[in-house]
Amino acid sequence: MTDELVLYTNPMSRGRIARWMLEEVGVLYRREILTFCGTIKEADYLRLNPMGKVPTLLHGEKVVTECPAICAYLADAFPQAGLAPPQRERADYYRWLFFAAGPLEAAVSNRALGFQVPEDRRAMIGYGSYAEVIETLENALTDRSYIAGSSFTAADVYVGSHLMWGMQFGSIDKRPAFETYVAHLHDRPAHLRATELDDADMGVLQGA
């Protein structure tokens, strides 16, 4: 595909996940920085993303929102990057990509907000409990370098981002399996490039 890629983002947001994924893909893209109290709620942007949130990926005329969707979309749109397993080997890839987007994010967010699911209501909540989610992910990552097989995929971008941020800010427990996994991802050239670019954009915003 030759349509222009545009990433609408803010360096203090989940847009960092999308930028890391774009750097892993290794294709040219343009980034547009949005401000939380300004351009993110303007009509032109709301036509792309009515939620008024970032990130949003524009690929030609196609609009993709939600970080896991952006990761999966880019892996499929640019198969030469090798960021998705072969079609018949995607069970773990889909499982853990959506585990992080569903149970993990919900459990971590609720815990950070001080909300605890009553014991007798856990069956109503998709993730059950924070402890169950963390233990499940810990078991999945024990003695594994990647979440979905023997090679790095878009699922590692998404799961790895959650763990990096969560452990940094204290919303996810630091466990040996998590720290080993994150250390394996942190120094990837694409991650380092994305971090440098986003940190530079933070400087732009702070100087504005």
Side-chain angles (χ1 to χ4, degrees):
M1 300 177 73
T2 58
D3 293 326
E4 183 185 27
L5 279 164
V6 183
L7 174 65
Y8 294 86
T9 186
N10 183 292
M12 298 180 66
S13 76
R14 290 173 177 82
R16 284 181 173 257
I17 302 175
R19 183 162 228 169
W20 178 11
M21 185 64 191
L22 281 162
E23 290 296 323
E24 290 285 355
V25 170
V27 295
L28 292 176
Y29 65 93
R30 176 166 57 88
R31 72 94 178 89
E32 293 288 341
I33 302 177
L34 301 178
T35 57
F36 291 126
C37 297
T39 51
I40 203 168
K41 297 300 183 182
E42 290 181 354
D44 285 347
Y45 182 64
L46 293 177
R47 278 192 284 271
L48 293 176
N49 188 339
M51 292 287 288
K53 293 182 175 292
V54 286
T56 294
L57 182 72
L58 184 63
H59 191 191
E61 296 183 352
K62 304 209 178 283
V63 178
V64 189
T65 66
E66 317 314 319
C67 280
I70 290 172
C71 289
Y73 175 83
L74 286 170
D76 286 344
F78 300 96
Q80 68 274 16
L83 294 170
Q87 193 67 46
R88 293 185 179 181
E89 299 174 20
R90 291 193 182 182
D92 281 350
Y93 173 74
Y94 288 131
R95 176 186 182 183
W96 296 111
L97 185 62
F98 292 104
F99 179 87
L104 180 62
E105 177 151 2
V108 170
S109 296
N110 282 342
R111 182 177 186 247
L113 292 169
F115 174 75
Q116 190 166 7
V117 181
E119 189 76 31
D120 62 344
R121 298 294 181 91
R122 286 185 179 178
M124 298 176 60
I125 301 297
Y127 63 82
S129 71
Y130 172 85
E132 290 169 325
V133 168
I134 295 302
E135 183 177 354
T136 297
L137 187 57
E138 180 183 27
N139 290 338
L141 287 172
T142 298
D143 298 324
R144 295 176 68 176
S145 297
Y146 303 111
I147 191 66
S150 60
S151 61
F152 179 88
T153 67
D156 292 298
V157 172
Y158 193 66
V159 173
S161 293
H162 272 282
L163 289 177
M164 288 177 190
W165 290 351
M167 290 193 293
Q168 179 181 353
F169 294 108
S171 59
I172 292 178
D173 301 337
K174 290 183 178 179
R175 301 192 177 188
F178 296 162
E179 291 180 310
T180 299
Y181 173 68
V182 163
H184 194 64
L185 304 179
H186 186 272
D187 291 334
R188 290 184 63 83
H191 180 258
L192 294 175
R193 286 196 306 272
T195 300
E196 183 178 357
L197 290 167
D198 279 322
D199 288 349
D201 282 347
M202 284 185 66
V204 172
L205 287 176
Q206 291 167 355

